[in-house]
Structure formats: C-alpha cells, structure tokens
Amino acid sequence: MMFQTKDITFTNLARAERLADSTAQLYDLIIIGGGITGAGIAIDAALRGLKTLLVEKNDFASGTSSKSTKLIHGGLRYLKQLEFGLVKETGLERAVAHNNIPHLVHPEKMLLPIVEGGTFGKISASLAISVYDLLAQVTSEDRMKSFDKEESIALEPIINQDILHSSVQYSEYRTDDARLTVELIKASRREGAEAFNYVEVEDFLYAADRVCGVKCVDRISGESINFSARQVVSAAGPWVDELRSTNNSKKGKGLQLTKGVHIVLDKEKLPVQSAVYFDAFDGRMLFAIPRGRVTYVGTSDTSYSRDKDNVLCTSSDVEYILKALNNMFNVPEIVPADIVSTWAGLRPLIQEEGKSNSELSRKDEIFISDSDLISIAGGKLTGFRKMAQRIVDLVIKRNDELIENKCITEEHKIHADSFLDYEAYEAYVSELEVEFSDYGLSPYDAWYLATTYGKNARSILISASAMKLEKEQAIIAAEIAFCIQYESCYKPDDYFNRRSGRLYFDVTSLKKHMNFIIKTFSEHFNWDSEKASNMSALSNKYLEEVTVIKEA
Ligand code: FAD
C-alpha cells in the first residue's frame, strides 16, 4: 500500500537488516527506554548531530508514557508544595509543545469547582492560578476567570449543586502521551537516529571500567545483540533502579513507585462540558476530561511494589474514583459496570523520607555512576524537552569528542508535515469532512484521524476509500498498513493501544474488529496460524485487562 507522506519508512519488516547495520556502528549515544524521556533525548541529540540509537524492551511508550492523565500542564497542585521552579519550567513548556505539534497538544479549559471543605477556597484558588498564569506567561485571553455559583452551574450543569460554592477556570493542554512519544522517535529518525522496539538491555559492555555499550536481547527473534557507544543513558522510567543494579551503581537515592489509575466512561454517563479538576474526599484532586466519545477520570495515587510489567486497575482503585465522582457530579450513580476501559501506570518518583505519595516531588533527578552510566528518572511528561536538554548538555560536556552544538528543540516542529498552528489543524479537520463526505466520513472520524495522525490522515483515508471493505474496517486496515510501514508497529496492541488509542477511547470498534486486526497483521508479517493464534490470545488478554476489573 502506497502512502503520500513526508514520513520516512520505519518498519520492523526490515528489522534484520537495520539491526545488523546498527551492531556495526559506534554510536555517540545509546538511550535505553522508549518512553517520553528517552524519545525527547533522542530528538535533541540527533538535532545536535550526535549519532544516536534508542532501544526499548517492549513497544515505544508501553511504560508510563501511555498511562498518564495526558495533560501538558504545569501542575497547579505543586504550587501548594512550593515547587515554583518545576511549575515555571513545565508551565512554560506548554506553549512550546502546543506550537511544535499543534494536532497533538490541544487547548483545554479546566474548571475548578470551589466546594465545602475542598483543597482550594475561592481566594486561595484565585491566588494560586494567578501565580500559575504568571509563571507560565499565559496570554491575557487564556488567564484565569472566576465564576459565582450560578455562572458555574451554567458552565457545568452536572456539578453537585449542594456542595458547590463557586468556581475558577484556567487554561491547560491535553495530549496523547503515546502518540507524542512515537512522533518524537520518528522525528529523531528523520534527523539520523535509529530506534528499535522489542530490544531489551540485559547488561552493559565495559572498557577500562567504563560503560561502552549494551548487551541486548532481540525480543522478537530471541537473539543476543550488542551495541557500542561513547555514552549510554538510561531513561528506563520505573525500571531505572534495575539497570542501576545491573551496573552495580544503585547507591543513595532510589525510586519510589506509585500507581495511578484512570477509568473511561461513555460521554453520556459523564457529559462534562470541559475538563474539571475536582476534589476527592481525601484531600486529593482528580481530573474528569472529555475526549471524543468518552470522558476519562483519574487518578489514584497508591504505593506500588508488585510486577512493574503488569500494572492493572483493581476494584479498590475503581471504588476510590467512583466515590469521588459520585460525590462531585449530579448524574445517575456511576457503577463499575459503566466503565468501558481503564489504564494504570507507575510514577517513577524519587524517594524522600517521611513524605506521602502525593507529597513526593515530581522533579527529575540525574544519577551518574562511577562507570559513567547516566540515568534520569522522575519528572513529568510535560517537561520532556527540558529534561532532554539537560541530559544532552551533560553528554556533550562529558565527551570531548563531541561537538558542542546548542539545543534547538524549542523551535523544532515535531511532525514531518506539521500544521503551522492550531487554526490550520482545525481547518484541516473541516476540509477532511468535506473532501470525504461522499465516502461517508463522520465528523468523529475526521477529528480522530487528524488528531491521531496529523496530515497523514488524508493519505490514510485515500488508501481506505480505495479498498473494497466496509468503511470502518477499511480505515483500520489503512491505519495498520501505515503504522507498520512508518511507525514500527509489530504486535496488534502496538496499533490498537499506543498508535490509535482505540483500546481506551473507542473500545467498541476494537471489540468489533479484533479478528480482522489480527488477520491484517498476519498478512503483513506472514504469520503462520500458530503465531496468529498466539497474537490473538495476547490481544484479547490486553482487551480483557482494561475492560474487566480485577479484585484488589
Ligand atoms: P516510561 O514511559 O516508563 O519509559 C521507560 C521505558 O523504558 C519503558 O517503555 C520501558 O519498557 C523501557 N525499559 C525499561 N527497562 C528497559 C531495558 N532493560 N531495556 C530497554 N528498555 C527498557 N505527566 C504530565 O506531564 N502530565 C500528566 O498528565 C501526567 N499524568 C500522569 C498520570 C499518571 C497516573 C502517571 C503514572 C504519571 C503521570 N505523569 C504526567 C508523569 C509522566 O507520565 C511520566 O513522568 C513519564 O511518562 C515518564 O516517562 P519515562 O520515559 O521516564 O518512563
């Protein structure tokens, strides 16, 4: 299938040749971990001319970077912890991300209801948001607005009026964390980097007691492979301490993992007009965020010490979120059976004595081992660009052979065929609707494809409309072909979870077309019936994990 795209090929169909080529290279930088942190480092390093390789043990963004609240935000609540530096840095990064990839970073008005006994009173909320707007240099039209009770009800009629006092509204941005990660990795490859999913680092290579590469296993073929580099950086998120132990350098501070869960509801069950940042009953605050046909709500924040590779939403997580939700919104009681999907992720936070989970800092931390392994953990999705800048500055400083080029990501458009601005993106969605109206394209599909694939949406639709398949299947078939050729998809869940988000935001389409998805992948990769049936079992397991709630 041919696509008219400015993207370059990025496919596991050519995996063997690409791997063979990479093993023969001496890289300037190897990055372990294909979450947002690793992806951000890859594009920064590649733009500065470093010969860069990124390896990820599962799929790109399969760790925390597909499980966040998907907000590009400064984190209003961190002001209460007096984290002015963090709030300023991430607050300023919001506009940078919005400019650099408009179709993936959407302005989102956030309503904060002031309620009896809530975290913020009207004065403290107004003060905090004014500081927030100031730190983030928010433009005048997007600054905080205050509303009395009647105005608040008009804005958000489903808020429980018995406890509502007034509200304040401020501006944030919503993204798709997994797609942002994948787009950054694609951007890094356009600048000369290489990246592999399903390559796990098992150990390090050393020369004169200094790390000079990684010993890996290809999780698709099972073969061992080594890669060499002047510098290795671990951006392994919740797994950073494991790799520090492998490197015999786990001393001093370590990670403290906390689990955060989100639930997804059909929009009709919780029809919020805009995002709401509301009080739970335990002093924490949760988000309810509308997106397409659903509203998602989260998050919990509980200590976690179980299997990091299998983090699930349990009945006690659901109980917590539903209790908070049913208290704040005046809608027919929401029960576990109303939940259409869920996700659960781990925050890789830095340990601090005597602090509760919610009080732990969201700042990033860099560890440098005696054998010169650099590890970075903590931080926020929103701060990925600045974290990457600090790491690449450090890598260049520590390696005399590397040329000292300045960071240029602040002005760098991430998508190969980027929209100039948000207005151009919105106009494109309307154009798609008109252009494919004879094909029966719905406004939802136009929005979904443009917000997921940017300007590649048109190319995907041209392919789909030429197929002799029913429309929804044809779109799925064209998306899969695109994701296999240009986005390194290998397993069906790479597509239905981290490339398209259907697992969370359109689970009905997934349930309906799961067999077709497996068949389409089988044809592309020429799988025999045993492999296809294993992939089918795995895919249905993932589907069940997010739709059937387990006991705690
Ligand atoms: P990860 O995304 O976990 O990436 C690390 C990667 O390393 C993984 O993909 C893993 O498979 C790989 N890896 C591990 N070991 C190896 C190995 N041996 N070999 C190869 N690869 C390996 N931030 C925001 O800005 N906004 C939000 O709205 C927000 N909400 C959040 C909500 C929740 C519930 C959570 C948990 C976090 C939230 N965050 C948010 C924080 C943000 O999601 C994280 O800071 C960020 O995603 C961490 O990215 P990372 O790349 O460091 O880690």
Side-chain angles (χ1 to χ4, degrees), residues 32-38 55-59 61-65 67-73 199-201 235-239 243 258 260-262 299 345-348 378-382:
I32 308 170
I36 192 80
T37 309
V55 287
E56 161 57 52
K57 69 173 179 168
N58 289 314
D59 185 27
S62 57
T64 306
S65 299
K67 320 278 176 48
S68 77
T69 309
K70 307 177 195 298
L71 288 175
I72 296 292
H73 68 156
V199 168
E200 177 166 9
V201 172
W239 295 266
L243 285 161
T258 78
V261 162
H262 291 81
T299 167
L346 295 179
R347 298 179 186 83
K380 303 274 301 164
L381 183 82
T382 311

Side-chain angles (χ1 to χ4, degrees), residues 28 37 71 85 88 117 128 162 166 178 226 229 284 311 313 355 390 394 415 432 449 454-455 479 524:
D28 292 326
T37 309
L71 288 175
K88 181 168 186 188
D162 295 343
S166 57
N226 295 347
R284 294 189 62 253
V311 190
C313 168
K355 290 209 171 167
R390 283 193 280 278
L394 186 66
H415 197 270
L432 274 191
L449 289 167
K455 285 192 202 162
E479 284 181 84
H524 280 281

Side-chain angles (χ1 to χ4, degrees), residues 44-108:
D44 188 322
L47 279 171
R48 294 204 226 183
L50 269 61
K51 191 170 164 146
T52 302
L53 172 70
L54 180 148
V55 287
E56 161 57 52
K57 69 173 179 168
N58 289 314
D59 185 27
F60 304 123
S62 57
T64 306
S65 299
S66 53
K67 320 278 176 48
S68 77
T69 309
K70 307 177 195 298
L71 288 175
I72 296 292
H73 68 156
L76 184 61
R77 74 184 186 83
Y78 309 130
L79 280 180
K80 279 204 128 185
Q81 292 157 236
L82 305 179
E83 299 246 31
F84 294 109
L86 175 72
V87 174
K88 181 168 186 188
E89 179 170 299
T90 46
L92 289 170
E93 281 304 302
R94 299 181 308 175
V96 176
H98 178 61
N99 287 337
N100 287 349
I101 187 151
H103 78 274
L104 262 184
V105 181
H106 304 267
E108 185 78 56

Side-chain angles (χ1 to χ4, degrees), residues 314-374:
T314 63
S315 50
S316 62
D317 300 319
V318 163
E319 206 179 302
Y320 172 79
I321 295 176
L322 291 189
K323 189 175 167 192
L325 203 58
N326 286 318
N327 180 48
M328 184 54 61
F329 295 98
N330 189 16
V331 288
E333 187 183 357
I334 297 173
V335 295
D338 294 325
I339 297 172
V340 293
S341 191
T342 61
W343 67 87
L346 295 179
R347 298 179 186 83
L349 305 176
I350 312 298
Q351 274 166 357
E352 283 175 88
E353 284 295 319
K355 290 209 171 167
S356 72
N357 293 333
S358 298
E359 285 167 350
L360 286 175
S361 171
R362 268 54 179 170
K363 271 200 289 241
D364 57 282
E365 184 102 7
I366 296 172
F367 308 94
I368 305 174
S369 80
D370 293 342
S371 56
D372 215 14
L373 171 70
I374 299 177

Side-chain angles (χ1 to χ4, degrees), residues 347-499:
R347 298 179 186 83
L349 305 176
I350 312 298
Q351 274 166 357
E352 283 175 88
E353 284 295 319
K355 290 209 171 167
S356 72
N357 293 333
S358 298
E359 285 167 350
L360 286 175
S361 171
R362 268 54 179 170
K363 271 200 289 241
D364 57 282
E365 184 102 7
I366 296 172
F367 308 94
I368 305 174
S369 80
D370 293 342
S371 56
D372 215 14
L373 171 70
I374 299 177
S375 305
I376 178 160
K380 303 274 301 164
L381 183 82
T382 311
F384 77 86
R385 199 188 66 81
K386 295 302 283 184
M387 287 164 72
Q389 182 176 356
R390 283 193 280 278
I391 287 290
V392 181
D393 283 349
L394 186 66
V395 169
I396 292 175
K397 199 166 138 212
R398 293 174 71 83
N399 288 274
D400 296 339
E401 310 86 353
L402 302 178
I403 301 167
E404 218 176 301
N405 289 322
K406 293 261 170 289
C407 173
I408 53 165
T409 49
E410 189 169 354
E411 303 285 331
H412 187 76
K413 294 279 186 195
I414 296 166
H415 197 270
D417 195 4
S418 181
F419 293 106
L420 207 57
D421 52 30
Y422 201 69
E423 286 69 40
Y425 153 75
E426 289 180 313
Y428 180 86
V429 178
S430 308
E431 281 160 31
L432 274 191
E433 267 182 69
V434 175
E435 190 178 335
F436 292 92
S437 59
D438 288 351
Y439 185 52
L441 189 74
S442 65
Y444 175 83
D445 281 336
W447 167 83
Y448 156 71
L449 289 167
T451 193
T452 306
Y453 301 102
K455 285 192 202 162
N456 288 317
R458 175 172 280 120
S459 182
I460 288 171
L461 276 167
I462 290 170
S463 296
S465 55
M467 287 180 202
K468 290 189 175 58
L469 284 171
E470 165 275 313
K471 180 166 60 64
E472 196 169 39
Q473 274 196 350
I475 290 176
I476 288 175
E479 284 181 84
I480 292 174
F482 181 83
C483 294
I484 289 177
Q485 233 174 312
Y486 296 101
E487 303 200 333
S488 198
C489 258
Y490 179 69
K491 295 185 182 173
D493 62 294
D494 300 346
Y495 159 71
F496 66 67
N497 183 342
R498 292 164 294 272
R499 301 302 180 285

